[in-house]
Amino acid sequence: MPGIVGIVGPGADAIRLRSGLAALRHFPQYGAASVTVAPGVECGQVWRDGNRSGRDWAVDPESNVTVLVCGRAFTASTPARRMTASALLDAHLRDELDLAELDGSYTLLVADPRRRIVRIASDRLGTLPLYYTAVDGGVYFGPEAKAVFAALERRPVLSKDGVISFLNCGYCLGKTTLFEGVSYLEPGTVVEIDVDSGRMSVQRYWRVVYSAAPELRGRRAAEDALHEALLAAHSAMLQDAPNGFAVMLSGGWDSRGLMAYAKSVHHRPTAALTWGRTLDVPNSDASLAAELAARFAVPFKFIAYESEQLGE
């Protein structure tokens, strides 16, 4: 999947970074670029579309401080305001970048050659994955473990704890992954890497706290609160899409809700797509997705594939 890839530390190498990026270019239309921020800091990004709308970089020409964003970051205030890489860079240069004041769905990288550190943060809920490992004087990271192993030029080894966790829970617990020596960046967490030594520290900057809200004990009040939260979330995420956006539809309740809320905040998708073997099976995900797109008058594209292609 698209995302930020990098190598930080004395072992950083531009050729290895490009190998990691290449492992994530699953389709011809995927784009990729890399940059040497400073000795010991190799960073890059993979995005889905040819017009680079999925790439958000900012570089300070004087200090070469570099900010990369995958996804969308917003202020946690109301109304929410999108924080682009440029806005985040300005805040960092003023020493006013507070991760706890951000919300959204993103992975954020700040590389500061002045301080010889690189910081990588996940959003509050960890909606976008980031895998990392420290090997041979360098920290390697990417949105898929395959990027990490491609950059390392090593074959993956299954982790016993990760496999047991996955088989028992359906997912890996905490920072555990299916691969030996590879960790997962947990929600609301930032990893800070010292460029000169390759040493890293991991800290939580935000944590979900569950508590009962007496005012939401009634069903109607809870439904209203959920409705308002979904409206606000769709409004925040879609307000900065002047060129439109596309959605992937399954025909399920989540897709129906997304289409309905997008219409409610006056940001209807410009395109919808789904995939499968055929559109001809009544009430299948693919056929329901086509019906859903037609109901909302959104142009629809179906991508056909055989089951053998799924792992490619």
Side-chain angles (χ1 to χ4, degrees):
M1 66 180 295
I4 297 170
V5 181
I7 309 172
V8 178
D13 179 88
I15 296 177
R16 287 192 169 193
L17 174 68
R18 288 195 286 272
S19 296
L21 292 169
L24 300 179
R25 298 188 67 182
H26 305 312
F27 298 98
Q29 67 269 28
Y30 278 23
S34 60
V35 60
T36 300
V37 177
V41 184
E42 300 288 343
C43 299
Q45 189 172 4
V46 175
W47 58 89
R48 286 189 175 92
D49 51 352
N51 63 11
R52 298 193 176 191
S53 66
R55 168 180 165 174
D56 191 7
W57 289 14
V59 181
D60 177 52
E62 294 184 5
S63 63
N64 215 38
V65 173
T66 301
V67 172
L68 279 68
V69 180
C70 178
R72 296 291 186 271
F74 298 88
T75 59
S77 57
T78 303
R81 178 171 58 90
R82 184 184 172 192
M83 296 292 284
T84 62
S86 294
L88 292 164
L89 173 61
D90 290 342
H92 175 76
L93 293 174
R94 298 193 307 268
D95 290 324
E96 296 176 0
L97 179 55
D98 185 355
L99 295 175
E101 295 299 319
L102 297 179
D103 202 350
S105 176
Y106 62 87
T107 301
L108 166 65
L109 179 145
V110 179
D112 192 334
R114 305 168 306 173
R115 303 173 185 174
R116 303 295 291 164
I117 61 169
V118 173
R119 304 181 81 204
I120 313 161
S122 61
D123 63 62
R124 293 181 173 189
L125 300 181
T127 57
L128 298 181
L130 188 92
Y131 296 85
Y132 64 93
T133 186
V135 178
D136 298 336
V139 177
Y140 296 70
F141 53 88
E144 291 186 48
K146 67 173 64 176
V148 173
F149 289 115
L152 282 170
E153 300 178 339
R154 297 186 182 183
R155 295 181 63 85
V157 176
L158 287 176
S159 161
K160 180 179 178 180
D161 289 342
V163 171
I164 292 174
S165 173
F166 183 84
L167 292 177
N168 277 279
C169 305
Y171 58 92
C172 293
L173 297 172
K175 66 177 184 179
T176 305
T177 73
L178 289 172
F179 307 104
E180 192 68 41
V182 177
S183 298
Y184 183 87
L185 190 61
E186 296 184 79
T189 299
V190 58
V191 56
E192 183 171 296
I193 309 166
D194 181 276
V195 175
D196 297 317
S197 67
R199 295 191 183 94
M200 63 181 179
S201 61
V202 182
Q203 294 181 331
R204 280 283 185 126
Y205 69 85
W206 197 86
R207 189 181 298 273
V208 178
V209 177
Y210 295 97
S211 59
E215 66 274 16
L216 298 181
R217 293 186 186 278
R219 182 186 178 96
R220 176 57 62 86
E223 290 174 347
D224 290 344
L226 177 60
H227 173 67
E228 293 301 324
L230 288 170
L231 273 177
H234 282 78
S235 179
M237 290 296 291
L238 301 178
Q239 67 178 340
D240 65 326
N243 298 321
F245 64 97
V247 294
M248 293 184 289
L249 298 180
S250 68
W253 285 109
D254 53 348
S255 293
R256 300 177 202 189
L258 187 154
M259 296 289 276
Y261 278 105
K263 179 180 178 182
S264 296
V265 298
H266 309 294
H267 288 287
R268 189 175 307 194
T270 54
L273 60 91
T274 194
W275 56 91
R277 184 172 184 181
T278 178
L279 271 173
D280 299 333
V281 179
N283 296 321
S284 66
D285 264 3
S287 66
L288 290 174
E291 292 179 22
L292 185 61
R295 180 171 299 184
F296 284 88
V298 174
F300 178 75
K301 179 180 180 180
F302 176 69
I303 301 173
Y305 67 84
E306 296 294 334
S307 59
E308 290 80 5
Q309 298 174 271
L310 188 59
E312 294 182 357

